[in-house]
Amino acid sequence: MAFFAISRTEPLRLLSATELAVEQERLRAENAQLQQAVTSHAVIDQAIGAVVAYGRIPPDEAWRVLRDMSQRTNTKLRTLAGRILRYAQGEAVPDFDPAELRRAIDRYRVLQRTPR
């Protein structure tokens, strides 16, 4: 079976075994990145829901709280989201400070009351 490179700007050309292997590896890496992105997105969405329930704030504010906490604690957003989910499920999370979450929520409550 022959495999060809498809391009809008170049004519079809037969791919070598090496080119096929390189392309296969590139596609595997891209697939892994996409899978991680989908998983991270789901964890972040769930953490937003937990912050909504915990802080009784709208989802857009919960997103801002997560982003703010991530920046202030220098923690990747998906890592922070995972910690918040574990905390919300009652786990003791050593790298998570619930007081920081409360402070972040309170900061956004103050911003909501401040006229713009």
Side-chain angles (χ1 to χ4, degrees), residues 53-89:
Y54 181 73
R56 297 181 181 176
I57 58 177
D60 60 327
E61 294 301 318
W63 162 247
R64 290 185 185 108
V65 165
L66 284 178
R67 193 179 61 203
D68 178 68
M69 281 187 68
S70 172
Q71 291 172 349
R72 285 176 184 267
T73 62
N74 195 27
T75 306
K76 288 188 176 194
L77 191 62
R78 69 175 175 266
T79 302
L80 177 63
R83 290 175 183 165
I84 287 174
L85 286 180
R86 291 197 327 266
Y87 173 73
Q89 294 168 351

Side-chain angles (χ1 to χ4, degrees), residues 29-51:
E30 184 178 330
N31 188 28
Q33 288 174 345
L34 290 171
Q35 286 177 344
Q36 182 180 9
V38 167
T39 302
S40 294
H41 190 63
V43 170
I44 291 167
D45 283 347
Q46 290 171 18
I48 288 171
V51 173

